[in-house]
């Protein structure tokens, strides 16, 4: 840490500079590409990928001198299999390399090995692949149509190509719906997105001939789970594989999923007994590195005359692509949507069907917020439309329906802990000054300019452990032949103080840019009376850390933070016992402050914690407590979860001639509980909003009617730049919930969750003179301009279901 630190009462709550930053900003970080570059003798891999969305793989031919491995070579490698034990869940295997069928453009079908990246790329062009092209399923409507081709030849319990079909219907729903003053119906949809991390996927597999162990450096979010998945596929003891995630250039969920390429790379490295590197290209990243959020929701709200939501009905459809993501399965989007659609609102009666439908497209995996941006879009557009139809103010209708009593049990069984839904809405509205905006809006309209304002309220489920993940599946019976369900959740840490009094914290979580090492240091050092620069946090290395679940779902600060606090409290108690024996008094009277142990209220100078530490290691025979001759504590935390909440307000200006939307102001009232490091929290919110802006206005993966991805470069896929980002004003509220022992709630996904709905509502408000509303994102200039010209709402135009059977043809 640069510069001196003043000694505060607590480190928690201070906007400390991130401990991780100096090395990164100076270019001293280590990424997978650096590991590969330093290994001058390593080989390089490229993957042969399918050019067709659906087909029968006939042959793969390589010229002499080209090293290529296919599924036939990997005959003893087990497929990747992620399961849930639910009657509506259909499990399928994911082969490491395609066997007899290809199921999406970009699917890996062979791995080419060469002495350099350029030679591997050249060799790739020499591989001849013969595929008999088959009809492709490129939309969910096509997938469930009668007679549709099956993406996988398995038995579906319901509609064809439907792999998850969750349903819920409360007892009083029908009566509540029938007695409503008005039923408001909308359809919202979202285009498919890529997480598009700055660093695409990359891996370096090393083989040690002396021990027979492999080491995989890869750009990951879940190193331990990756090790488990690869070891299961290759039939290895997990101890024979070390997995390391060095510095990671962005993850956002897409790097929490086991990559087929990583399995193939480790296999090839062991087969050849050589080190092999693979650095993914941006085109490959768009083609094959997991997509997200191609969803359509039909939502009906039954309202009373004064705007109370009496009942909610949803038909939610998620396109989950061609294969199941490991470990969270292709149930992750539809099951989250089903459970969490009501959000922060009081919904007494609820009927929902939520489906995961497979298509011949790249598989989906969690991306920042998972289904929540769409859930919030659906609910916030519903309330805006209901307010217009009922003649009620849009702020008042939200105040009338937001949850006020806690804990609150939703109709899906979720328990929402203490939060500030009403208060964040009020704070955001006060900051926005709606009366002033309406005056500016009217004046602008008189000049031919179209301004709009939009509100978005949401609850973000964060820091949830095994109780939440176990609820997605029926219980697994140990000792049976059922396929085991992977249930993520707990975190375990090991905190050690060495003889010099400095700390090492080993965590199972895997930070990748969130500043977690800094915030954990703040939490631990508050308990032990030390400075954050006296602790080293070790993460993302399976040889050096306890088994853990990595970083995703806004969980690391809550769960790893809770485990770290518990370990620090245990270690602090041991130090108090030692200090009390030396200084006199009881352990409860000892304060750990400024690197010393002191008797509270005493004038004694106390004893340095470093002295106590040296005594434990070097004079263990004299220890008064006859305890362990080491200073080490283990913390384990596995909570049910806690809900953060926020209100976003966006101001926009829309140019009706071009359809361009400019965000002129963005306001956030956020409640993430206790802020361990306010600067890091603000950074998470800013980054999340940037990706929410991308979802709302810019980013879209587009397939043609053959299932070919046409947006495979940054010439076609448009992320926002700093020029498109507005200034963001943030107000923090703080609700301390007993559901989190640190008092902190997760904040990593909130910006992405709330921004799209606020922007869609703002554009709809701006376009009121044209009687046009936004119900599909991204609201691109072309779509906005077309909606204005036609005078119809902005909806997605789905691909037509093909009627004739396409001819099967063999293509080389």
């Amino acid at each position: 840490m640069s510069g001196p630190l003043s000694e505060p009462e607590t480190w928690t709550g201070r906007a400390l500079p991130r401990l991780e930053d100096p090395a990164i900003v100076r270019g001293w970080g280590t990424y997978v590409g650096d590991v590969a570059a330093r290994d001058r003798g390593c080989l390089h891999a490229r993957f042969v990928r399918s050019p067709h969305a659906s087909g029968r793989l006939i042959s793969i031919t390589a010229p002499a001198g080209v090293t290529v491995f296919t599924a036939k070579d990997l005959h003893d490698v087990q497929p990747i299999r992620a399961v849930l034990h639910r009657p509506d869940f259909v499990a399928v295997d994911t082969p490491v390399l395609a066997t007899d069928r290809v199921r999406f453009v970009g699917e890996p079908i062979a791995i080419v090995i060469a002495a350099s990246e350029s030679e591997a790329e050249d060799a790739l062009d020499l591989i001849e692949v013969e595929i008999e092209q088959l009809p492709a399923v490129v939309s969910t409507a096509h997938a469930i149509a009668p007679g549709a081709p099956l993406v996988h030849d398995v038995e579906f319990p319901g509609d064809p190509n439907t792999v998850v079909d969750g349903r819920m219907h409360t007892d009083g729903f029908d009566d509540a719906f029938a007695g409503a003053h008005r039923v408001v119906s909308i359809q919202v949809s979202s285009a498919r997105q890529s997480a598009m991390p700055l660093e695409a996927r990359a891996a370096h597999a090393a083989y040690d001939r002396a021990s027979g162990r492999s080491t995989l450096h890869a750009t990951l979010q879940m190193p331990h789970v990756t090790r488990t998945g690869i070891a299961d596929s290759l039939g290895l003891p997990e101890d024979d594989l070390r997995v390391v995630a060095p510095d990671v250039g962005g993850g956002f969920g897409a790097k929490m999923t086991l990559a087929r390429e990583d399995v193939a790379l480790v296999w090839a490295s062991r087969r050849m007994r050589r080190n092999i590197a693979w650095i993914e290209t941006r085109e490959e990243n768009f083609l094959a590195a997991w997509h997200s959020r191609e969803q359509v929701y039909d939502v009906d709200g039954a309202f009373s005359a004064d705007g109370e939501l009496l009942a909610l009905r949803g038909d939610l459809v998620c396109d989950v692509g061609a294969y199941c993501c490991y470990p969270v399965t292709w149930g992750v989007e539809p099951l989250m949507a089903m459970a969490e659609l009501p959000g922060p609102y009081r919904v007494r009666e609820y009927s929902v069907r939520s489906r995961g439908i497979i298509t011949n497209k790249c598989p989906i995996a969690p991306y920042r917020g998972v289904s929540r941006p769409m859930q919030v879009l659906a609910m916030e557009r519903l309330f805006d439309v209901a307010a217009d139809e009922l003649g009620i103010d849009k702020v008042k209708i939200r105040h009338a329906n937001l949850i006020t009593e806690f804990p609150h049990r939703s109709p899906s069984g979720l328990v929402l802990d203490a939060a500030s839904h009403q208060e964040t809405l009020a704070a955001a509205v006060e900051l926005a000054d709606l009366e002033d905006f309406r005056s500016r809006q009217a004046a602008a309209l008189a000049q031919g300019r179209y301004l709009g304002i939009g509100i978005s309220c949401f609850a973000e489920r964060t820091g949830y452990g095994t109780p939440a993940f176990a609820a997605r599946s029926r219980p697994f019976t140990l000792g049976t032949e059922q396929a085991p369900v992977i249930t993520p959740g707990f975190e375990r840490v090991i905190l050690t103080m060495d003889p010099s009094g400095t700390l090492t914290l080993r965590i199972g979580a895997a930070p990748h840019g969130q500043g977690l090492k800094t915030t954990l240091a703040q939490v631990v050092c508050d308990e032990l009376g030390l400075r954050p620069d006296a602790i080293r946090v070790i993460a993302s290395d399976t040889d050096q850390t306890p088994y853990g679940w990595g970083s995703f779902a806004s969980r690391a600060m809550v769960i790893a933070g809770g485990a770290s606090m518990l370990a620090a409290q245990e270690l602090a108690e041991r130090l108090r016992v030692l200090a009390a024996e030396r200084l006199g008094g009881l352990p409860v009277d000892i304060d750990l402050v400024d690197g010393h142990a002191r008797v509270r209220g005493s004038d004694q100078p106390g004893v340095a914690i470093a002295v106590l530490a040296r005594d434990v290691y070097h004079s263990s025979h004299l220890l008064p407590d006859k305890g362990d001759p080491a200073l080490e504590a283990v913390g384990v935390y596995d909570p049910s979860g806690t809900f953060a909440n926020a209100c976003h307000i966006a101001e926009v200006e829309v140019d009706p001639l071009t359809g361009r939307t400019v965000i002129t102001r963005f306001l956030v009232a956020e409640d993430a509980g206790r802020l361990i490091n306010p600067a890091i929290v603000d950074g998470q919110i800013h980054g999340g909003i940037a990706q929410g802006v991308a979802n709302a206005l810019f980013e879209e993966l587009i397939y043609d009617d053959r299932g070919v991805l046409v947006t495979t470069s940054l010439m076609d896929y448009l992320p926002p730049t700093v020029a498109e980002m507005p200034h963001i004003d943030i107000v923090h509220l703080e609700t301390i919930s007993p559901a989190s022992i640190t008092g902190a709630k997760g904040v990593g996904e909130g910006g992405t969750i709330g921004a799209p709905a606020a922007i869609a509502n703002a554009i709809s408000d701006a376009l009121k003179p044209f009687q046009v509303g936004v119900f599909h994102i991204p609201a691109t200039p072309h779509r906005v301009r077309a909606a204005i010209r036609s005078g119809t709402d902005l909806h997605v135009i789905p691909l037509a279901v093909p009627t004739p059977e396409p001819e099967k043809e063999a293509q080389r």
Side-chain angles (χ1 to χ4, degrees):
M1 180 176 295
S2 59
L5 292 175
S6 59
E7 301 293 347
E9 284 189 26
T10 64
W11 295 108
T12 296
R14 296 188 76 198
L16 297 185
R18 300 198 316 179
L19 300 172
E20 303 91 332
D21 285 355
I24 298 296
V25 299
R26 289 180 170 93
W28 298 341
T30 299
Y31 296 85
V32 174
D34 297 315
V35 175
R38 292 166 189 167
D39 184 1
R40 300 196 180 272
C42 81
L43 302 176
H44 292 265
R46 303 298 299 155
F47 285 90
V48 182
R49 299 186 181 275
S50 172
H52 300 301
S54 179
R56 187 170 289 109
L57 185 54
I58 305 300
S59 66
I60 303 171
T61 307
V66 173
T67 302
V68 60
F69 298 112
T70 69
K72 290 180 180 179
D73 299 297
L74 278 68
H75 60 86
D76 57 346
V77 174
Q78 297 301 308
I80 300 166
R81 189 172 179 85
V83 300
L84 293 176
H85 291 311
R86 299 173 52 95
D88 60 308
F89 184 87
V90 178
V92 301
D93 291 338
T94 302
V96 173
L97 296 174
T99 52
D100 57 335
R101 287 280 303 274
V102 293
R103 292 182 170 88
F104 69 96
V105 171
E107 180 170 6
I109 58 180
I111 179 172
V112 175
I113 311 295
S116 68
E117 282 190 88
S118 58
E119 289 178 72
E121 192 70 37
D122 290 342
L124 203 64
D125 294 334
L126 302 176
I127 307 296
E128 293 187 359
V129 179
E130 184 178 359
I131 295 174
E132 178 189 357
Q133 194 170 357
L134 299 174
V137 176
V138 294
S139 71
T140 54
H142 182 196
I144 60 176
L150 299 181
V151 178
H152 289 275
D153 297 323
V154 297
E155 184 176 341
F156 296 95
D159 294 332
N161 294 313
T162 301
V163 291
V164 178
D165 194 347
R167 303 178 192 228
M168 190 180 303
H169 189 89
T170 59
D171 292 340
F173 174 84
D174 295 334
D175 290 342
F177 221 78
H181 171 75
R182 182 183 287 265
V183 173
V184 177
S185 300
I186 64 168
Q187 182 186 82
V188 295
S189 55
S190 173
R192 184 171 274 243
Q193 272 192 288
S194 166
M196 209 200 78
L198 185 63
E199 177 196 31
R201 296 182 298 174
H204 175 275
Y207 179 74
D208 180 48
R209 298 189 180 200
S211 65
R213 294 189 82 213
S214 294
T215 297
L216 176 70
H217 283 81
T219 177
L220 302 170
Q221 294 176 234
M222 301 176 82
H224 286 279
V225 180
T226 297
R227 183 186 68 178
T228 295
I230 295 174
D232 285 351
S233 285
L234 301 186
L236 297 175
E238 289 202 32
D239 188 57
D240 280 353
L241 176 61
R242 177 189 180 194
V243 175
V244 182
D247 292 317
V248 175
F252 313 118
K255 292 179 181 176
M256 67 176 283
T257 302
L258 177 61
R260 300 159 76 170
E261 292 87 349
D262 288 347
V263 182
L265 200 73
V266 173
W267 178 90
S269 171
R270 294 180 69 83
R271 170 71 173 264
M272 300 181 73
R273 298 188 170 216
R274 293 287 303 275
N275 296 358
I276 306 175
W278 167 64
I279 309 296
E280 184 180 55
T281 67
R282 182 58 62 189
E283 180 183 22
E284 284 182 296
N285 188 261
F286 281 130
L287 282 171
W290 312 104
H291 296 169
S292 67
R293 284 201 284 271
E294 184 175 4
Q295 303 179 356
V296 180
Y297 293 4
D298 287 285
V299 177
D300 307 300
F303 287 88
S304 68
D306 58 2
E308 181 184 1
L309 180 59
L310 305 174
L312 178 67
R313 179 168 59 202
D315 184 3
L316 319 178
V317 173
C318 304
D319 184 331
V320 298
Y323 290 102
C324 193
C325 60
Y326 176 103
V328 292
T329 82
W330 46 28
V332 63
E333 284 192 351
L335 295 181
M336 174 184 285
M338 178 176 72
E340 299 184 25
L341 179 63
Y345 295 105
R346 186 178 55 251
V347 175
R348 293 188 173 88
E349 304 296 340
Y350 185 42
S351 180
V352 63
R353 182 184 187 191
S354 190
R355 288 171 283 174
I357 297 172
I358 54 176
T359 58
N360 289 115
K361 289 184 279 193
C362 177
I364 65 95
Y367 169 42
R368 200 171 192 170
V370 196
S371 287
R372 294 186 189 102
M374 268 293 287
Q375 296 160 209
V376 175
L377 178 68
M379 294 300 292
E380 296 306 306
R381 291 299 292 127
L382 179 70
F383 276 110
D384 264 23
V385 173
D388 287 339
E389 292 191 11
L390 294 169
I392 298 174
D393 178 79
K394 292 173 182 176
V395 175
K396 289 181 179 178
I397 197 172
R398 287 173 169 82
H399 272 305
N401 287 283
L402 286 168
I403 298 164
T404 56
E405 296 181 359
F406 304 95
H408 171 85
R409 183 175 292 275
S410 78
S412 63
L414 295 181
V415 177
L416 283 73
D417 58 322
S420 57
H421 304 298
Q422 296 279 353
E423 294 83 356
T424 50
L425 173 58
V429 168
E430 180 181 1
L431 188 63
D433 193 348
L434 292 183
E435 185 176 342
D436 174 71
F437 172 78
R438 292 302 179 195
S439 297
R440 289 189 285 114
Q441 183 184 41
L445 185 60
Q447 299 170 1
R449 296 168 51 229
Y450 296 84
L451 310 186
I453 195 164
I455 301 172
S456 169
C457 300
F458 65 90
E460 178 190 357
R461 192 182 190 190
T462 74
Y464 42 98
T466 56
F469 283 101
R472 302 179 309 153
S473 184
R474 287 183 173 178
F476 166 63
T477 305
L478 292 172
T480 69
E481 294 187 2
Q482 278 183 303
V485 173
I486 294 177
T487 306
F490 67 85
E491 281 301 331
R492 186 170 178 268
V493 307
I494 301 171
L495 178 63
T496 304
M497 180 176 282
D498 67 23
S500 67
T502 55
L503 296 165
T504 300
L505 179 68
R506 302 173 189 274
I507 63 174
H512 48 277
Q514 307 96 320
L516 183 63
K517 292 182 178 181
T518 302
T519 50
L520 292 183
Q522 290 176 255
V523 168
V524 167
C525 289
D526 270 346
E527 299 294 330
L528 292 165
L530 297 171
R531 296 157 52 91
D533 51 4
I535 183 169
R536 184 163 66 104
V537 180
I538 297 177
S540 306
D541 183 339
T542 60
D543 270 12
Q544 297 196 62
T545 59
Y547 199 102
W549 295 98
S551 298
F552 65 99
S554 299
R555 69 187 300 274
M557 190 60 244
V558 177
I559 307 184
S564 299
M565 174 179 275
L566 291 172
Q569 289 172 345
E570 181 182 330
L571 187 58
E573 185 57 30
R574 178 88 192 282
L575 291 172
R576 289 190 183 98
V577 169
L578 296 169
E581 186 68 25
R582 177 186 280 261
L583 300 174
L586 298 174
V588 72
D589 297 323
I590 301 296
D591 288 332
L592 304 178
V593 183
D594 300 342
H596 288 74
R598 297 189 178 97
V599 178
R600 190 178 308 113
S602 170
D603 294 333
Q604 295 183 55
V607 58
I609 290 174
V611 171
L612 295 176
R614 188 168 292 274
D615 285 350
V616 168
Y617 287 94
H618 294 174
S619 303
S620 59
H621 62 293
L622 300 176
L623 289 179
D625 62 354
K626 305 302 181 187
D628 185 4
L631 289 172
E632 184 172 285
V634 175
V636 180
Y637 193 45
D638 188 14
S640 297
T642 179
F643 282 80
N645 67 276
C647 177
H648 290 188
I649 295 182
E651 288 186 22
V652 303
E653 180 168 354
V654 180
D655 183 343
L657 296 179
T658 65
R660 182 182 181 222
T661 297
V662 175
I663 305 170
T664 56
R665 193 181 182 202
F666 204 98
L667 313 174
V668 177
E670 172 87 27
D671 189 341
R674 178 171 288 120
L675 304 186
I676 307 300
N677 187 312
I680 287 176
V681 170
D682 284 353
Q684 288 290 300
I685 294 170
H686 286 187
I689 289 171
Q691 290 178 307
V693 169
N695 195 183
L697 297 177
F698 296 101
E699 295 181 358
E700 179 175 14
L701 290 164
I702 301 173
Y703 282 86
D704 67 16
D705 57 5
R706 300 168 298 156
V708 175
L709 186 68
V710 298
T711 47
T712 58
S713 77
L714 292 173
M715 295 283 288
D716 312 302
Y717 189 85
L718 187 64
T721 70
V722 67
E724 285 76 48
M725 287 301 298
H727 175 76
I728 301 169
D729 291 312
I730 303 174
V731 174
H732 292 290
L733 285 74
E734 187 174 279
T735 300
I736 306 300
S737 168
S740 168
I741 62 170
T742 62
K745 300 181 177 187
V747 75
E749 297 172 292
T752 308
I753 291 168
I759 295 167
N761 278 340
I763 298 172
S764 300
D765 184 56
L767 298 184
K768 260 192 175 180
F770 301 101
Q771 297 183 318
V772 167
V774 172
F775 295 91
H776 175 77
I777 52 177
T780 59
H782 170 76
R783 289 194 178 106
V784 170
R785 186 168 178 266
I788 292 171
R789 288 193 162 198
S790 65
T792 58
D793 289 330
L794 195 161
H795 283 287
V796 67
I797 301 174
L799 289 171
V801 176
T803 47
E805 172 90 8
E807 275 189 21
K808 299 177 181 179
E809 59 174 336
Q811 293 191 1
R812 182 177 294 274

